[in-house]
Amino acid sequence: MSKSYRVAILGATGAVGTELLELLASRKFPLADLKLLASPRSAGRTMQFGEEHLPVEPVGELSFDNVDIVLASAGGSTSKLWAPKAVEAGAVVVDNSSAFRMEPQVPLVVPEVNPEAAADHRGIIANPNCTTILMSVAVWPLHRVQPVKRMVAATYQSASGAGARAMEEVKEQAKAILAGETPQKEIFPYPLAFNLFPHNSKLNKLGYCEEEMKMVNETRKIFGSPEMRITATCVRVPVLRAHSEAINLEFDRPFSVEKARDILSQAPGVRLVEDWQANYFPMPIEASGKDEVLVGRIREDISNPGGLEFWLSGDQIRKGAALNAVQIAELLVAKNWVRKAAAAVSV
Amino acid sequence: MSKSYRVAILGATGAVGTELLELLASRKFPLADLKLLASPRSAGRTMQFGEEHLPVEPVGELSFDNVDIVLASAGGSTSKLWAPKAVEAGAVVVDNSSAFRMEPQVPLVVPEVNPEAAADHRGIIANPNCTTILMSVAVWPLHRVQPVKRMVAATYQSASGAGARAMEEVKEQAKAILAGETPQKEIFPYPLAFNLFPHNSKLNKLGYCEEEMKMVNETRKIFGSPEMRITATCVRVPVLRAHSEAINLEFDRPFSVEKARDILSQAPGVRLVEDWQANYFPMPIEASGKDEVLVGRIREDISNPGGLEFWLSGDQIRKGAALNAVQIAELLVAKNWVRKAAAAVSV
C-alpha cells in the first residue's frame, strides 16, 4: 500500500508548467489527482498528461480544496496572492517564483544540496533561481569538501529564462535578420538574435541586477554559508534553451584538479562532459532536455594556483526549474514531509 | 610637403583585409601606392578602394620590392613565410597573425597602451589578438593609475573571430534550424547558431586554450607587467560580429568606481555606454563597425570590495584587428619610425 497525492500545477500553461506535467508523468509521481490551474486568460484549454487530456481551470478561491501539493510556476505576484491561500487550505506549495525565497522561515531547496532544509517547511518551500540551481549542483560537492572562499561567475543565459514567448521572439528576430529585415522586440528590451546583453532585470544601487543578486543571496542561503563571497555577471545570449556558466572558485587551501574531477564525476545531478582531445565540453544544445547539469573544463586557475575554474551547461527549464520542483515534491513524499494537515489519500 | 608611403596588404580578400582597405581610404592614410596581395587561389579578382578598382595579385618573391609598409593578415604560416622576405626587401611589416607576437625582439603594440614599443622594431611589429586588444584598451587606463593585481575574464566571442566564412556558416545554420533542418558545420567543430561552446583553439596541458593563453601572455607583454595574474574563459557565441567580455579586476588597494568611471570616460579608444535607468550597456550589435571599445556596467565587486567589474563590447575585425594595425602604421608615419631602409617617397 503506497500513498498517492492530489497535486495542482499553478501556471500549467507556461514553459515550466508544461515541463512539470511531462515530469510528473515520466517520473511516475504518485498522483491521486492532478489539477491544472492558470490565469483566467489561459484557462479553458486542455493539456496532455500521458494518455489523458486535462482541462486547464481558472485559479480561484476554491482551487486548493482537497489538494496536497501545489507546484506553483506563475510568477511572483500570482504566488504571493495564491500560495498563502493554498497553505491555508492545507496544501504544501513548492514555489518557483522569487516571492518567498529569501523569507527566513521558507526553506530554499536544491535536493542534491540541502534536502534536510525541506523538513522544516511551514507550508511553502521555495525553488531557487535557475542560474543558482545549476551552479549549486556543481559547486556544492566541492564546497562541502573544502569551503569556497570566493566565487566569480559569468553566465550565458538562454531566452527560455524569460519564458516560452521569449524563445519564439528570438526565433522571429533571427528570421527577420536573415531576411534583411528589422527584428521586432516585445519581451526583451533589445534584439537578442545574433546579439547579447547584460541580464535585463532591475539593477540595485551597487549596479548588480536582480539575477546576479539571486546568485549571491540564494547560494548563501542554500549552502548555509551567509558569509560566502560571490560575484556574478549575468548575460542574456541568443540560445533558445539551457544556460551556461563560467565559474571561478577560490578556496582557503589548494583544491587539486584531480580531486575536483573525481568528486564531480560522482556527484548527484552532475554529468562530467570533457574530451580534451576533441575540445568537447558542455554545450547548451546538449544540455537541453537533460536532467543533469553538464560540467567540464575543470582546470586549475593559473592566476590563483590551488583555485579552480570550470564550465557548465544545464537545462534552465528542467533542472533549473521544473525538475528541481518535482524533486522537492518527491523528497516530501519519500520523507513523509508533505504537510500533516494535508490529507494523504491511501490507495 | 608630406611624405606618403607604398603600402601592401597581404591577405587582402579576407574579413580583416577588406576592413584594412576601407580604413586606409576612410582615414586618408598617406599612400603613394597600394598593392593588394593574396594567395594564388584568391588572386585575380579586383577590390574597391575609394573610387578605384585594384587588382589582387598573387603574393610572390618580388611582391615586396618598393614597398614601405606591409599590413599582413593572412594567417600565421603565411606570415612566417613572407614577413621575413618583406623585411629583407626593406619594408616594415605590421602582422596580424600570432606568428611573431611573443618573440622578444618583436614589439606587440596597442597604440593606446604602448605606442613607444613600436620605436624599437626590427622590421616586424605584431598586432595582438583581438580579445586582448579590446580588453587592453579598457584595462590599461586603470592599470596605469593603480596596477591590476589579478584579472578574471570571461569572453563572449562572435563568429567573425574565425573569419568571414564563419559568419556565413552561423547564418546558414540559423536558417537550417529555423526551417527544422539539421545545421551543417565546416569551420566550427559544433553548430554555433542558437548554441555556444568554449573557444575551439588548441588546449595546453593545464586545460587553457590558445585564445585564453593569448589573453594571459600578450597582455603581460603589452602592459610590460610579466607578473600580472590573469585567467580567462573564452567562449564562442552565436553573434556575427563584435566580441564582448566580462572583466573582474583586483587591485593592491581599493579602486573607487567613481574614479574608474572618470578615467574610462576620458580614455582614448573607449566609449562609456551606461544608462542604469534603461539597463542599457554595451552590446555587440552596437559595437559592430565602431572604432571605440564600448565599456559599461562599471561597478564595485561585492565579493572583493575595492575591486572592480565591468563589461565591454568591441568590434573584433575593426579595433580587434584592422584598425589597430592601421593605427600602428599611422604611428610609424607620425613618429617617422617607418624603417629608414625603406624609401619614403616625397610628393
Side-chain angles (χ1 to χ4, degrees):
Chain A
M1 194 173 87
S2 68
K3 282 180 179 173
S4 64
Y5 298 83
R6 297 163 301 183
V7 173
I9 298 179
L10 176 59
T13 58
V16 175
T18 309
E19 201 75 14
L20 284 168
L21 232 73
E22 193 281 309
L23 285 163
L24 290 175
S26 65
R27 294 171 72 93
K28 305 190 195 313
F29 190 86
L31 289 171
D33 182 43
L34 179 59
K35 187 183 277 194
L36 306 185
L37 302 170
S39 67
R41 186 171 52 79
S42 299
R45 38 188 287 208
T46 63
M47 293 182 77
Q48 194 161 354
F49 178 72
E51 303 292 297
E52 297 174 81
H53 289 269
L54 301 178
V56 181
E57 305 169 34
V59 62
E61 295 292 337
L62 304 176
S63 294
F64 305 102
D65 289 350
N66 304 315
V67 167
D68 303 311
I69 302 171
V70 177
L71 303 173
S73 186
S77 55
T78 305
S79 284
K80 268 188 187 148
L81 178 62
W82 294 108
K85 293 179 198 282
V87 173
E88 219 170 282
V92 55
V93 179
V94 181
D95 182 36
N96 262 300
S97 84
S98 61
F100 304 102
R101 285 180 194 151
M102 296 311 295
E103 304 237 335
Q105 79 283 9
V106 173
L108 185 63
V109 176
V110 177
E112 290 88 344
V113 179
N114 61 339
E116 68 291 345
D120 301 325
H121 77 82
R122 301 187 194 176
I124 299 177
I125 297 172
N127 208 36
N129 164 265
C130 52
T131 316
T132 306
I133 292 177
L134 301 175
M135 179 268 285
S136 294
V137 168
V139 173
W140 172 255
L142 306 175
H143 180 74
R144 67 188 300 229
V145 172
Q146 276 179 225
V148 172
K149 194 172 67 173
R150 180 174 171 238
M151 173 165 64
V152 179
T155 73
Y156 301 69
Q157 302 189 218
S158 65
S160 65
R165 279 168 64 220
M167 293 168 75
E168 285 310 308
E169 179 161 307
V170 172
K171 285 198 247 179
E172 289 305 319
Q173 289 174 347
K175 270 184 204 163
I177 291 168
L178 291 168
E181 295 158 11
T182 305
Q184 303 299 306
K185 59 195 162 57
E186 188 185 331
I187 311 276
F188 292 120
Y190 308 106
L192 185 55
F194 303 116
N195 191 31
L196 49 82
F197 45 80
H199 196 281
N200 53 305
S201 51
K202 206 179 155 205
L203 295 154
N204 70 11
K205 275 190 294 188
L206 293 170
Y208 280 68
C209 69
E210 277 178 355
E211 186 80 359
E212 290 160 352
M213 291 314 296
K214 287 173 185 172
M215 287 190 81
V216 173
N217 294 324
E218 295 183 16
T219 305
R220 287 173 170 172
K221 179 170 176 175
I222 298 163
F223 284 16
S225 304
E227 304 295 326
M228 193 174 164
R229 293 161 57 200
I230 304 171
T231 185
T233 299
C234 291
V235 179
R236 293 264 193 218
V237 296
V239 167
L240 296 177
R241 184 166 167 159
H243 293 353
S244 302
E245 306 180 31
I247 306 283
N248 181 288
L249 299 177
E250 298 174 31
F251 300 90
D252 268 319
R253 51 184 208 283
F255 204 127
S256 87
V257 172
E258 294 67 30
K259 187 169 147 190
R261 182 166 292 119
D262 186 49
I263 289 169
L264 287 171
S265 68
Q266 304 168 51
V270 169
R271 184 189 299 186
L272 205 62
V273 175
E274 286 190 329
D275 181 339
W276 294 87
Q277 296 305 314
N279 221 319
Y280 172 73
F281 302 110
M283 292 188 280
I285 46 167
E286 301 213 328
S288 295
K290 293 223 172 61
D291 286 352
E292 299 93 348
V293 177
L294 311 186
V295 174
R297 283 208 83 196
I298 306 166
R299 59 195 161 124
E300 183 173 50
D301 176 355
I302 57 173
S303 78
N304 180 35
L308 292 175
E309 301 219 59
F310 68 87
W311 170 255
L312 69 82
S313 295
D315 190 316
Q316 170 277 326
I317 301 178
R318 210 163 170 97
K319 179 57 188 171
L323 174 61
N324 198 72
V326 171
Q327 286 176 314
I328 291 172
E330 290 170 346
L331 174 70
L332 296 176
V333 166
K335 299 281 190 181
N336 206 19
W337 291 341
V338 178
R339 216 175 183 188
K340 302 283 185 299
V345 182
S346 290
V347 290
Chain B
M1 195 174 82
S2 67
K3 281 180 179 175
S4 62
Y5 298 82
R6 298 162 302 183
V7 173
I9 299 178
L10 176 58
T13 58
V16 176
T18 309
E19 201 75 14
L20 284 168
L21 231 75
E22 193 281 310
L23 286 163
L24 290 175
S26 64
R27 294 170 73 92
K28 304 190 194 314
F29 192 88
L31 289 170
D33 184 43
L34 179 59
K35 187 184 276 194
L36 306 186
L37 302 170
S39 66
R41 185 171 51 83
S42 299
R45 37 188 288 208
T46 63
M47 293 182 77
Q48 195 162 354
F49 178 73
E51 303 292 297
E52 295 174 82
H53 289 269
L54 301 178
V56 180
E57 305 169 34
V59 61
E61 295 292 338
L62 304 176
S63 294
F64 305 103
D65 290 350
N66 302 315
V67 167
D68 303 312
I69 301 170
V70 177
L71 303 174
S73 185
S77 56
T78 306
S79 284
K80 268 189 188 149
L81 178 64
W82 294 108
K85 294 180 197 282
V87 173
E88 219 171 279
V92 56
V93 179
V94 181
D95 183 36
N96 261 301
S97 84
S98 62
F100 303 102
R101 286 179 193 153
M102 296 311 296
E103 304 237 334
Q105 79 284 7
V106 173
L108 184 65
V109 176
V110 178
E112 290 88 343
V113 178
N114 62 339
E116 68 292 346
D120 301 325
H121 78 82
R122 300 186 194 178
I124 298 176
I125 297 173
N127 208 37
N129 163 264
C130 52
T131 317
T132 306
I133 292 176
L134 302 175
M135 180 268 287
S136 294
V137 168
V139 173
W140 172 254
L142 306 175
H143 180 76
R144 69 187 298 227
V145 172
Q146 275 179 225
V148 171
K149 194 172 66 172
R150 179 173 172 238
M151 172 163 65
V152 179
T155 74
Y156 301 69
Q157 301 189 218
S158 65
S160 65
R165 279 170 63 221
M167 294 168 73
E168 286 310 308
E169 179 161 305
V170 173
K171 286 198 247 178
E172 290 305 319
Q173 289 174 347
K175 270 183 205 164
I177 291 167
L178 292 168
E181 294 158 14
T182 305
Q184 303 299 307
K185 58 195 164 55
E186 188 185 329
I187 312 277
F188 292 120
Y190 309 106
L192 185 56
F194 303 116
N195 191 30
L196 49 81
F197 45 81
H199 196 281
N200 53 306
S201 52
K202 205 180 155 205
L203 295 154
N204 70 11
K205 275 188 293 188
L206 293 169
Y208 280 69
C209 69
E210 278 178 354
E211 187 79 0
E212 290 160 352
M213 291 314 297
K214 286 173 185 172
M215 285 190 82
V216 174
N217 294 324
E218 294 182 16
T219 305
R220 287 172 169 172
K221 179 169 176 175
I222 298 162
F223 283 16
S225 304
E227 305 295 325
M228 192 172 164
R229 293 162 57 199
I230 304 170
T231 186
T233 299
C234 290
V235 179
R236 293 266 193 217
V237 295
V239 167
L240 296 176
R241 186 167 167 158
H243 292 354
S244 302
E245 305 180 32
I247 306 284
N248 182 287
L249 299 177
E250 298 174 30
F251 300 90
D252 268 316
R253 50 184 209 284
F255 204 126
S256 87
V257 172
E258 294 65 32
K259 188 169 146 189
R261 183 167 291 120
D262 187 51
I263 290 168
L264 287 171
S265 68
Q266 303 170 50
V270 169
R271 184 190 298 187
L272 205 61
V273 175
E274 285 189 329
D275 181 339
W276 295 86
Q277 295 306 312
N279 222 319
Y280 173 71
F281 302 110
M283 292 188 278
I285 48 167
E286 300 213 328
S288 296
K290 293 223 173 60
D291 286 352
E292 299 93 347
V293 176
L294 310 186
V295 174
R297 283 209 81 196
I298 306 166
R299 58 193 163 126
E300 185 174 48
D301 177 354
I302 56 172
S303 77
N304 179 36
L308 292 175
E309 301 219 60
F310 68 85
W311 170 254
L312 70 83
S313 296
D315 190 315
Q316 169 278 326
I317 301 178
R318 211 163 169 98
K319 179 57 186 170
L323 174 60
N324 199 72
V326 171
Q327 286 176 313
I328 292 172
E330 289 170 345
L331 174 71
L332 297 175
V333 165
K335 298 284 189 180
N336 206 20
W337 290 342
V338 180
R339 215 174 184 188
K340 301 285 186 298
V345 182
S346 292
V347 290

